[in-house]
Protein backbone atom coordinates (compact mmCIF):
# COMPACT_ATOMS: atom_id res chain seq x y z
CA UNK A 1 0.00 0.00 0.00
CA UNK A 2 1.37 3.43 -0.97
CA UNK A 3 -1.84 5.45 -0.60
CA UNK A 4 -4.84 5.49 1.72
CA UNK A 5 -8.34 6.75 0.92
CA UNK A 6 -9.32 10.09 2.48
CA UNK A 7 -12.23 8.38 4.23
CA UNK A 8 -10.36 5.19 5.23
CA UNK A 9 -11.71 3.80 8.52
CA UNK A 10 -9.53 3.83 11.63
CA UNK A 11 -8.97 0.70 13.74
CA UNK A 12 -7.73 2.05 17.06
CA UNK A 13 -5.98 0.19 19.89
CA UNK A 14 -6.25 2.34 23.03
CA UNK A 15 -4.02 1.37 25.95
CA UNK A 16 -6.02 1.58 29.18
CA UNK A 17 -2.93 1.69 31.39
CA UNK A 18 -3.93 4.90 33.16
CA UNK A 19 -6.69 5.35 35.73
CA UNK A 20 -10.31 4.64 34.80
CA UNK A 21 -11.38 8.30 34.64
CA UNK A 22 -8.41 9.31 32.49
CA UNK A 23 -8.94 6.37 30.15
CA UNK A 24 -12.63 7.19 29.72
CA UNK A 25 -11.75 10.81 29.02
CA UNK A 26 -9.35 9.71 26.30
CA UNK A 27 -11.94 7.40 24.76
CA UNK A 28 -14.52 10.19 24.83
CA UNK A 29 -12.12 12.65 23.18
CA UNK A 30 -11.27 10.25 20.35
CA UNK A 31 -14.89 9.31 19.74
CA UNK A 32 -16.21 12.88 19.81
CA UNK A 33 -13.64 14.23 17.33
CA UNK A 34 -14.06 11.33 14.89
CA UNK A 35 -17.86 11.35 15.14
CA UNK A 36 -17.91 15.12 14.51
CA UNK A 37 -15.76 14.53 11.41
CA UNK A 38 -18.06 11.76 10.20
CA UNK A 39 -15.14 9.32 10.07
CA UNK A 40 -15.73 5.60 10.47
CA UNK A 41 -13.70 3.95 13.25
CA UNK A 42 -13.52 0.94 15.50
CA UNK A 43 -11.98 1.54 18.95
CA UNK A 44 -10.74 -1.33 21.12
CA UNK A 45 -9.62 -0.88 24.73
CA UNK A 46 -6.49 -2.80 25.82
CA UNK A 47 -7.10 -3.62 29.49
CA UNK A 48 -4.48 -6.38 29.83
CA UNK A 49 -0.94 -5.80 28.47
CA UNK A 50 -0.53 -9.46 27.53
CA UNK A 51 -3.44 -9.19 25.08
CA UNK A 52 -1.97 -6.25 23.15
CA UNK A 53 -0.22 -8.28 20.43
CA UNK A 54 -3.24 -10.49 19.78
CA UNK A 55 -5.68 -7.59 19.61
CA UNK A 56 -3.35 -5.48 17.47
CA UNK A 57 -2.97 -8.37 15.01
CA UNK A 58 -6.76 -8.72 14.69
CA UNK A 59 -7.17 -4.98 14.19
CA UNK A 60 -4.38 -4.97 11.59
CA UNK A 61 -6.12 -7.67 9.59
CA UNK A 62 -9.39 -5.78 9.80
CA UNK A 63 -7.59 -2.65 8.56
CA UNK A 64 -6.18 -4.60 5.60
CA UNK A 65 -9.58 -6.07 4.71
CA UNK A 66 -11.30 -2.66 4.91
CA UNK A 67 -8.52 -0.60 3.33
CA UNK A 68 -8.23 1.19 6.65
CA UNK A 69 -5.60 2.49 9.06
CA UNK A 70 -4.29 0.75 12.19
CA UNK A 71 -3.91 3.34 14.99
CA UNK A 72 -2.00 3.07 18.29
CA UNK A 73 -3.11 5.27 21.19
CA UNK A 74 -0.55 5.03 24.00
CA UNK A 75 3.11 5.45 24.86
CA UNK A 76 6.16 4.38 22.86
CA UNK A 77 5.83 0.77 24.06
CA UNK A 78 2.23 0.55 22.86
CA UNK A 79 3.15 2.26 19.60
CA UNK A 80 5.94 -0.29 19.09
CA UNK A 81 3.65 -3.29 19.65
CA UNK A 82 0.94 -2.02 17.30
CA UNK A 83 3.48 -0.89 14.69
CA UNK A 84 4.87 -4.45 14.56
CA UNK A 85 1.49 -5.65 13.36
CA UNK A 86 1.17 -2.79 10.86
CA UNK A 87 4.53 -3.80 9.37
CA UNK A 88 3.66 -7.51 9.38
CA UNK A 89 0.32 -6.91 7.65
CA UNK A 90 1.48 -4.09 5.37
CA UNK A 91 -1.23 -1.64 6.43
CA UNK A 92 -1.14 2.10 7.05
CA UNK A 93 -0.37 3.17 10.61
CA UNK A 94 -1.41 6.12 12.75
CA UNK A 95 -0.41 7.34 16.22
CA UNK A 96 -2.13 9.14 19.09
CA UNK A 97 0.78 9.63 21.54
CA UNK A 98 -0.13 9.23 25.22
CA UNK A 99 3.14 8.31 26.96
CA UNK A 100 5.64 10.08 29.20
CA UNK A 101 8.24 11.11 26.61
CA UNK A 102 6.49 10.37 23.28
CA UNK A 103 9.72 10.47 21.27
CA UNK A 104 8.17 8.78 18.25
CA UNK A 105 5.19 11.09 17.99
CA UNK A 106 7.16 14.25 18.69
CA UNK A 107 9.79 13.38 16.09
CA UNK A 108 7.09 13.08 13.44
CA UNK A 109 5.27 16.28 14.36
CA UNK A 110 2.27 14.58 15.99
CA UNK A 111 0.77 16.70 18.82
CA UNK A 112 0.90 15.37 22.38
CA UNK A 113 -2.50 16.87 23.18
CA UNK A 114 -5.01 14.11 22.34
CA UNK A 115 -7.65 16.37 20.83
CA UNK A 116 -5.07 17.99 18.57
CA UNK A 117 -3.56 14.60 17.71
CA UNK A 118 -6.90 13.20 16.50
CA UNK A 119 -7.47 16.28 14.34
CA UNK A 120 -3.93 15.92 12.98
CA UNK A 121 -4.60 12.26 12.19
CA UNK A 122 -7.60 13.26 10.10
CA UNK A 123 -5.45 15.67 8.08
CA UNK A 124 -2.32 13.50 7.76
CA UNK A 125 -0.76 11.81 4.73
CA UNK A 126 1.33 8.64 4.40
CA UNK A 127 5.08 8.95 4.90
CA UNK A 128 7.54 6.02 4.93
CA UNK A 129 9.43 5.71 8.24
CA UNK A 130 12.63 3.77 8.98
CA UNK A 131 12.34 0.74 11.26
CA UNK A 132 15.14 -0.73 13.40
CA UNK A 133 15.47 -4.40 14.31
CA UNK A 134 17.33 -6.23 17.07
CA UNK A 135 17.18 -9.96 16.36
CA UNK A 136 13.49 -10.28 15.37
CA UNK A 137 12.23 -7.38 17.47
CA UNK A 138 11.18 -4.04 15.97
CA UNK A 139 12.23 -0.73 17.50
CA UNK A 140 11.17 2.73 16.38
CA UNK A 141 12.96 4.81 19.04
CA UNK A 142 15.80 2.81 20.61
CA UNK A 143 17.15 -0.56 21.72
CA UNK A 144 19.66 -1.07 24.51
CA UNK A 145 21.37 -3.51 26.85
CA UNK A 146 23.04 -3.10 30.23
CA UNK A 147 22.18 -0.26 32.58
CA UNK A 148 19.40 1.25 30.47
CA UNK A 149 17.02 -1.78 30.63
CA UNK A 150 17.60 -1.89 34.39
CA UNK A 151 16.74 1.81 34.54
CA UNK A 152 13.49 1.20 32.64
CA UNK A 153 12.42 -1.65 34.92
CA UNK A 154 13.01 0.39 38.06
CA UNK A 155 11.33 3.42 36.49
CA UNK A 156 8.12 1.43 35.99
CA UNK A 157 8.14 0.41 39.66
CA UNK A 158 8.62 4.02 40.75
CA UNK A 159 5.93 5.30 38.39
CA UNK A 160 3.38 2.91 39.85
CA UNK A 161 4.20 4.24 43.30
CA UNK A 162 4.71 7.96 42.62
CA UNK A 163 2.87 8.62 39.34
CA UNK A 164 3.75 8.87 35.66
CA UNK A 165 5.69 12.06 35.01
CA UNK A 166 9.00 13.08 33.49
CA UNK A 167 10.15 14.35 36.92
CA UNK A 168 9.55 10.92 38.52
CA UNK A 169 11.30 9.28 35.56
CA UNK A 170 14.35 11.55 36.00
CA UNK A 171 14.65 10.88 39.74
CA UNK A 172 14.24 7.14 39.17
CA UNK A 173 16.99 7.20 36.54
CA UNK A 174 19.33 9.02 38.93
CA UNK A 175 18.65 6.44 41.65
CA UNK A 176 19.45 3.57 39.26
CA UNK A 177 22.56 5.31 37.99
CA UNK A 178 23.97 5.62 41.51
CA UNK A 179 23.19 2.02 42.47
CA UNK A 180 25.72 -0.84 41.97
CA UNK A 181 25.89 -2.14 38.39
CA UNK A 182 28.22 -4.28 36.29
CA UNK A 183 29.95 -3.24 33.11
CA UNK A 184 29.27 -5.18 29.93
CA UNK A 185 32.04 -6.91 28.01
CA UNK A 186 31.11 -6.67 24.34
CA UNK A 187 32.50 -7.88 21.01
CA UNK A 188 31.16 -5.82 18.10
CA UNK A 189 31.24 -7.20 14.55
CA UNK A 190 30.86 -4.30 12.15
CA UNK A 191 31.42 -5.14 8.46
CA UNK A 192 33.64 -8.07 9.44
CA UNK A 193 35.81 -5.98 11.77
CA UNK A 194 35.82 -6.98 15.44
CA UNK A 195 35.97 -4.40 18.20
CA UNK A 196 36.01 -5.12 21.94
CA UNK A 197 34.38 -2.74 24.36
CA UNK A 198 33.58 -2.45 28.06
CA UNK A 199 30.68 -0.20 29.00
CA UNK A 200 27.82 0.15 31.49
CA UNK A 201 25.23 0.34 28.72
CA UNK A 202 25.08 -0.02 24.94
CA UNK A 203 22.42 2.10 23.28
CA UNK A 204 21.21 2.02 19.65
CA UNK A 205 19.00 4.88 18.51
CA UNK A 206 16.50 5.16 15.66
CA UNK A 207 14.99 8.52 16.61
CA UNK A 208 16.36 11.88 15.55
CA UNK A 209 14.85 13.87 18.44
CA UNK A 210 16.21 11.56 21.13
CA UNK A 211 19.67 11.53 19.55
CA UNK A 212 19.72 15.32 19.61
CA UNK A 213 18.51 15.50 23.21
CA UNK A 214 21.07 13.07 24.59
CA UNK A 215 23.79 14.96 22.80
CA UNK A 216 24.83 13.13 19.62
CA UNK A 217 23.19 15.45 17.13
CA UNK A 218 25.76 14.82 14.34
CA UNK A 219 24.55 11.20 14.15
CA UNK A 220 20.89 12.20 13.88
CA UNK A 221 21.33 12.97 10.18
CA UNK A 222 22.42 9.37 9.62
CA UNK A 223 19.00 8.20 10.80
CA UNK A 224 17.51 9.86 7.74
CA UNK A 225 19.84 7.87 5.48
CA UNK A 226 19.17 4.24 6.37
CA UNK A 227 21.50 4.04 9.38
CA UNK A 228 21.16 3.46 13.10
CA UNK A 229 23.16 5.36 15.73
CA UNK A 230 25.14 3.62 18.49
CA UNK A 231 26.32 5.13 21.77
CA UNK A 232 28.31 3.64 24.63
CA UNK A 233 29.84 5.49 27.63
CA UNK A 234 33.51 4.62 28.19
CA UNK A 235 33.63 6.03 31.71
CA UNK A 236 34.22 3.52 34.51
CA UNK A 237 32.86 5.20 37.63
CA UNK A 238 29.50 6.42 38.86
CA UNK A 239 30.74 10.01 38.99
CA UNK A 240 31.69 9.82 35.34
CA UNK A 241 28.28 8.44 34.40
CA UNK A 242 26.62 11.13 36.49
CA UNK A 243 28.73 13.78 34.76
CA UNK A 244 27.59 12.56 31.35
CA UNK A 245 23.97 12.71 32.45
CA UNK A 246 24.27 16.20 33.91
CA UNK A 247 26.36 17.37 30.94
CA UNK A 248 23.41 16.72 28.67
CA UNK A 249 20.78 17.95 31.10
CA UNK A 250 22.49 21.33 31.57
CA UNK A 251 22.07 22.27 27.92
CA UNK A 252 25.51 21.29 26.61
CA UNK A 253 24.05 18.81 24.12
CA UNK A 254 26.06 19.99 21.18
CA UNK A 255 29.40 19.10 22.78
CA UNK A 256 28.48 15.79 24.35
CA UNK A 257 29.13 13.88 21.14
CA UNK A 258 32.76 15.05 21.24
CA UNK A 259 33.30 13.98 24.84
CA UNK A 260 36.10 11.47 25.31
CA UNK A 261 33.87 9.55 27.71
CA UNK A 262 31.44 8.56 24.95
CA UNK A 263 31.86 6.26 21.93
CA UNK A 264 29.45 7.01 19.05
CA UNK A 265 29.10 5.75 15.48
CA UNK A 266 26.46 4.95 12.85
CA UNK A 267 25.85 1.67 11.02
CA UNK A 268 23.36 -0.33 8.94
CA UNK A 269 23.99 -3.80 10.37
CA UNK A 270 26.02 -4.96 13.35
CA UNK A 271 26.39 -8.04 15.56
CA UNK A 272 26.94 -7.53 19.28
CA UNK A 273 28.08 -10.43 21.44
CA UNK A 274 27.88 -10.08 25.20
CA UNK A 275 30.66 -12.01 26.90
CA UNK A 276 29.48 -13.58 30.17
CA UNK A 277 31.02 -15.94 32.72
CA UNK A 278 27.73 -17.83 33.12
CA UNK A 279 26.06 -20.17 30.65
CA UNK A 280 23.15 -17.81 30.13
CA UNK A 281 22.35 -17.39 26.46
CA UNK A 282 19.59 -14.84 26.95
CA UNK A 283 20.32 -11.12 27.22
CA UNK A 284 17.99 -8.51 28.72
CA UNK A 285 17.16 -6.00 25.96
CA UNK A 286 14.99 -2.89 26.08
CA UNK A 287 13.14 -1.88 22.91
CA UNK A 288 11.11 1.35 22.98
CA UNK A 289 10.74 1.12 26.75
CA UNK A 290 9.74 -2.57 26.90
CA UNK A 291 12.18 -5.13 28.35
CA UNK A 292 12.49 -8.69 27.01
CA UNK A 293 15.10 -11.47 26.85
CA UNK A 294 16.86 -12.24 23.55
CA UNK A 295 19.42 -14.74 22.28
CA UNK A 296 23.10 -13.82 22.41
CA UNK A 297 24.65 -12.54 20.11
CA UNK A 298 22.36 -9.69 19.11
CA UNK A 299 21.97 -8.48 15.54
CA UNK A 300 21.05 -4.83 15.03
CA UNK A 301 19.93 -3.75 11.55
CA UNK A 302 17.65 -1.51 9.53
CA UNK A 303 14.56 -3.35 8.31
CA UNK A 304 14.15 -3.44 4.52
CA UNK A 305 10.42 -2.67 4.84
CA UNK A 306 9.38 0.78 6.03
CA UNK A 307 6.49 1.72 8.29
CA UNK A 308 3.69 3.51 6.39
CA UNK A 309 2.95 6.27 8.89
CA UNK A 310 0.12 8.80 8.69
CA UNK A 311 1.64 12.05 9.90
CA UNK A 312 1.19 15.78 9.31
CA UNK A 313 3.17 17.38 6.51
CA UNK A 314 6.08 19.43 7.84
CA UNK A 315 5.42 23.13 8.27
CA UNK A 316 6.77 25.18 5.36
CA UNK A 317 10.04 27.01 5.87
CA UNK A 318 9.51 30.73 6.60
CA UNK A 319 10.31 33.02 3.72
CA UNK A 320 13.46 35.15 4.14
CA UNK A 321 12.81 38.68 5.30
Amino acid sequence: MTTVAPDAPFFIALNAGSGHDETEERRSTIESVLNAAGRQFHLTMIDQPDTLDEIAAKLAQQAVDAGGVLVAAGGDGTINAVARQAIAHGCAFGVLPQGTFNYFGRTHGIPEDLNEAVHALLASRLHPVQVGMVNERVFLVNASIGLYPKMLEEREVDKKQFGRSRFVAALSALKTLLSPHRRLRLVLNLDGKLQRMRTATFFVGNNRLQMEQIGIAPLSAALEDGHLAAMAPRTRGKLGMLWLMLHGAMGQMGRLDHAEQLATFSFKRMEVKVRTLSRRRKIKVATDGEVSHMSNPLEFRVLDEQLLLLKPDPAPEPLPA
Side-chain angles (χ1 to χ4, degrees):
M1 175 191 290
T2 55
T3 61
V4 62
D7 60 348
F10 295 132
F11 294 84
I12 306 168
L14 172 60
N15 189 337
S18 303
H20 175 76
D21 291 343
E22 186 174 354
T23 298
E24 284 303 312
E25 182 180 350
R26 290 175 178 176
R27 180 211 284 265
S28 176
T29 298
I30 294 170
E31 291 178 341
S32 63
V33 174
L34 294 181
N35 283 328
R39 192 63 166 265
Q40 290 187 336
F41 68 95
H42 178 81
L43 190 151
T44 301
M45 302 289 293
I46 312 295
D47 296 310
Q48 301 296 329
D50 57 359
T51 66
L52 177 56
D53 287 335
E54 179 183 357
I55 293 175
K58 290 180 180 178
L59 291 176
Q61 188 58 58
Q62 291 174 16
V64 170
D65 294 340
V69 179
L70 179 63
V71 179
D76 285 331
T78 300
I79 292 170
N80 176 297
V82 181
R84 289 201 301 267
Q85 299 302 330
I87 295 165
H89 289 78
C91 60
F93 181 63
V95 169
L96 301 174
Q98 295 297 294
T100 303
F101 292 99
N102 296 322
Y103 278 118
F104 183 76
R106 289 160 60 202
T107 290
H108 295 289
I110 300 170
E112 292 186 83
D113 177 81
L114 183 56
N115 186 288
E116 294 177 9
V118 182
H119 280 98
L121 181 66
L122 288 165
S124 293
R125 295 194 303 118
L126 280 184
H127 296 261
V129 171
Q130 176 174 293
V131 177
M133 293 285 288
V134 50
N135 289 3
E136 298 306 315
R137 185 87 172 189
V138 162
F139 64 96
L140 303 176
V141 179
N142 62 59
S144 59
I145 55 177
L147 184 60
Y148 195 67
K150 179 182 178 183
M151 190 178 298
L152 290 174
E153 288 183 321
E154 296 189 6
R155 185 178 77 185
E156 285 305 305
V157 173
D158 291 336
K159 281 184 175 181
K160 288 179 181 178
Q161 183 175 359
F162 301 109
R164 309 186 73 87
S165 71
R166 294 180 187 178
F167 178 72
V168 170
L171 289 181
S172 178
L174 182 61
K175 180 189 68 175
T176 305
L177 191 64
L178 296 177
S179 66
H181 53 265
R182 295 180 179 179
R183 300 178 74 213
L184 299 170
R185 297 187 302 159
L186 306 178
V187 179
L188 312 183
N189 187 336
L190 191 61
D191 297 328
K193 297 180 180 179
L194 299 183
Q195 177 183 348
R196 287 171 171 78
M197 177 182 294
R198 297 195 69 180
T199 182
T201 193
F202 188 79
F203 181 95
V204 176
N206 186 34
N207 182 274
R208 173 185 52 78
L209 176 63
Q210 189 177 49
M211 291 299 96
E212 292 172 352
Q213 289 195 347
I214 63 178
I216 49 177
L219 285 186
S220 65
L223 301 179
E224 312 290 335
D225 190 31
H227 288 72
L228 299 170
M231 178 188 79
R234 294 192 179 102
T235 180
R236 294 175 179 270
K238 294 178 184 177
L239 289 178
M241 289 289 291
L242 181 59
W243 179 87
L244 283 176
M245 179 178 167
L246 293 177
H247 190 73
M250 295 302 290
Q252 302 180 53
M253 300 291 187
R255 284 179 280 169
L256 185 56
D257 56 304
H258 298 298
E260 295 179 358
Q261 291 88 348
L262 199 65
T264 63
F265 58 93
S266 62
F267 66 94
K268 289 188 175 182
R269 184 183 296 266
M270 174 177 57
E271 181 184 270
V272 177
K273 183 175 182 179
V274 182
R275 299 177 60 191
T276 64
L277 298 178
S278 67
R279 295 183 179 180
R280 291 181 306 166
R281 296 189 176 183
K282 295 289 185 178
I283 303 299
K284 190 177 291 186
V285 183
T287 50
D288 294 351
E290 302 295 321
V291 179
S292 59
H293 290 81
M294 300 185 189
S295 298
N296 188 23
L298 304 169
E299 182 190 42
F300 294 88
R301 61 188 175 92
V302 175
L303 187 65
D304 292 335
E305 298 85 1
Q306 292 182 308
L307 180 64
L308 302 174
L309 177 67
L310 270 180
K311 70 174 187 175
D313 287 326
E317 293 289 334
L319 296 175

